[in-house]
Every structure is written in C-alpha cells, then in structure tokens.
Amino acid sequence: MSMVCLSDFEAYAKKYLPKIAWDYFAAGADDCTTRDENILAYKRIRFRPRMLRDVSVMDIRTKILGSEISFPVGIAPTGFHQLAWPDGEKSTARAARAMDTCYIASTYSTCTLEEISAAAPGGLHWFQLYIHRNRAASQQLVQRAEALGFQGLVLTADLPYTGKRRNDVRNGFRLPPHMKVKNLEGAFEVCKMSLLDPSVTWNDIYWLRSLTRLPIIIKGILTREDAELAVKHGVQGIIVSNHGGRQLDEGPATIDALVEVVEAVRGRVEVYVDGGIRKGSDVLKALALGAKCVFIGRPALWGLAYKGEEGLQDVLRILQDEFRLSMALAG
C-alpha cells in the first residue's frame, strides 16, 4: 500500500489493529462531537495566499523552550503504545530523535522512562504527568524524569475523572495481560484510572515547582481565563488541548480555542496546540493563528501500527513535506 497522506495510515490501522485497540485509540467522549470538530474546524479556515514571493529557500526549523527542532510538529503524549507496536514507546522515541523533534512521553507508557531514554539518547523528551492521589508516586516520576534528562514537565489538567468513551465501556477495555503500565508498576491498579486526584488545583503548580527545575507546560487549556491563570502561576508553556475530544464532549475545537489563548498570554509563555492535525496545511494554519508548535496524537499511533519506528517517521516526513509545500504555495 502506497502511503501518501495521513488518512492512509489511519485506514491501515483501522483495518489491521485488533478492534479493542483501534476503539481505544479512536475513542472520543460521548457523541464524539468534539473529537470530530477538532478536524472539521481546520477545514473551515482559509488561506490568503500571496504571489511572486521568493520561496526558493525555506527554513522550517523552530525552537521550543530553547531547544531547536527540525520543524514545528512534535509527538503528543498518548498511552499504551504497545497496543500499536511491540516496541511501543521505544520506537516512538527513536522516530522522534531520527526526525529531530520533541516526544512527550505519557505517564501511561508501556515502557519505562528509563527504557524510553535509553532507546533514543540525546533525543528531546518531555514527560507528561497525571497527578494521582498517591502523591509520592507522582513525585517519584517527576524526579526520575529529571534525572534521566527529560527536558520539560507537561501537566495534564483536563482529567480529574476519565471521560465516558462508549466503545471502551462496551469492550470492557483493559490492557492485555502481557502489557503493563511500566512507570506505575506496584504503585496501584492503573487501568481503572480510579486513583487520579480530582482535588488538583492551580496551587499544585507551586508543589510541582518545588519538586523540579524542569520547565512546566500545562496541557488542556481552552479559555483565556485559564490561560491567564497559567501565566500567573508561573508555567513556561501552554498546550491548547481538549484531550483529543476524549474528556468533555461539546467543548471547543482546539484550533478555535487557540486564538483566545494566544491573545490572553500576549507572548509571555509559549503556546502549542494539539488535536485534529491531519495535514501540513493544518500545521501552517495553527502557526498563523499563533501556535509555536503543534503536537500529533492519533496519527503517531497510526504510524506505529503501520511499521513501528519507520512508519512513524513516514508520518512525520509526510507532514514535514506538506508543511513546507503549504508555506511555499501560501507565499
């Protein structure tokens, strides 16, 4: 099969992944309105292309929190990569390093932080954290990540409870017995996600800052009010995100929320966005509306399902080529 665009990888993954794994990755909350709107919102945005501009040389590199990446697309935190490919997050990390971009490793990885770090030494890795009732386990994870050379801490703010993903409920989703949530082994039963701490508030940013010197990026912001609070509490970055439409259904598409977040922060912190990016032109739209970088979630998993590390590199390379072409054609 000739893989020309990201939808080709999606079709492959849907056909060849076990149904329970596909349903888990594809799931949105409730009616999946927000999940689908993330994609549709990009389609409503139009370019105003400019002509006769010299586009013979283009530089698509950028920096996020001072680290240079080859183009403004990173890999968002998603869980359970071994459902897509046997090497799981190790392959994800290697692909990100090969393409010289950022990979945000999830708390709910099926490989340990140590395995991820060792698989791609020198790669740009951030660590995504859920705060659990077991604060000691969360503290240990943060300190392990920093000791291993992870360069950013991404706090997910939009999951005090898990959204209702209907197919997961119907399927009784659990990890297969041979897979483990490696970073939390022995801490508690994770798959039920019943020990997430719903009492987390903005004051917990100060707690995190007491634990680590890593820059803190907060993920899950959708309003100007929360963007202003994020800046007030001293974070270094914001990821505009609705968790891929997996949490509160009928919230805003992330590309729509991006505009008010960018206006609110007024350049005081870097702003990124995830959700719904399927083409290089989507990347250009997000940057034009103020994002410093975008992060992809499901497309990375489709690439893994297709051919592991090589498949994910293909996904990133297609986005890179499409982004460069869109820049040129838009002038």
Side-chain angles (χ1 to χ4, degrees), residues 273-304:
V273 66
D274 67 20
I277 293 108
R278 299 293 183 268
K279 304 187 297 292
S281 58
D282 295 338
V283 180
L284 182 56
K285 290 173 183 179
L287 267 61
L289 293 173
K292 181 76 170 173
C293 175
V294 309
F295 289 91
I296 59 168
R298 291 183 181 95
L301 295 163
W302 304 336
L304 286 178

Side-chain angles (χ1 to χ4, degrees), residues 48-67:
R48 297 183 67 247
R50 300 292 304 279
M51 302 301 146
L52 297 177
R53 298 168 68 87
D54 184 353
V55 292
S56 57
V57 177
M58 287 180 293
D59 186 354
I60 61 172
R61 295 173 297 174
T62 191
K63 288 185 177 181
I64 52 174
L65 296 184
S67 295

Side-chain angles (χ1 to χ4, degrees), residues 25-166:
F25 292 144
D30 298 319
D31 293 328
C32 299
T33 302
T34 296
R35 180 198 67 181
D36 297 342
E37 185 65 15
N38 276 348
I39 297 171
L40 293 171
Y42 276 99
K43 297 180 184 297
R44 290 193 291 268
I45 298 169
R46 294 290 177 266
F47 293 110
R48 297 183 67 247
R50 300 292 304 279
M51 302 301 146
L52 297 177
R53 298 168 68 87
D54 184 353
V55 292
S56 57
V57 177
M58 287 180 293
D59 186 354
I60 61 172
R61 295 173 297 174
T62 191
K63 288 185 177 181
I64 52 174
L65 296 184
S67 295
E68 185 174 281
I69 55 177
S70 62
F71 74 125
V73 176
I75 300 172
T78 52
F80 310 156
H81 287 196
Q82 283 185 355
L83 288 174
W85 187 256
D87 258 5
E89 290 82 3
K90 290 183 286 187
S91 287
T92 310
R94 286 192 290 260
R97 184 187 60 182
M99 293 300 293
D100 194 16
T101 192
C102 179
Y103 165 43
I104 308 176
S106 171
T107 291
Y108 293 136
S109 296
T110 44
C111 300
T112 64
L113 292 176
E114 289 78 7
E115 289 171 330
I116 292 167
S117 179
L124 177 57
H125 302 143
W126 292 353
F127 173 62
Q128 174 272 330
L129 178 72
Y130 292 116
I131 296 179
H132 293 85
R133 295 180 197 271
N134 183 344
R135 291 294 179 99
S138 296
Q139 177 175 340
Q140 183 189 55
L141 277 174
V142 171
Q143 292 168 340
R144 279 170 63 193
E146 183 170 7
L148 287 164
F150 283 72
Q151 292 168 252
L153 178 65
V154 178
L155 174 65
T156 293
D158 60 3
L159 206 136
Y161 302 95
T162 304
K164 185 177 181 181
R165 303 157 196 173
R166 294 174 184 171

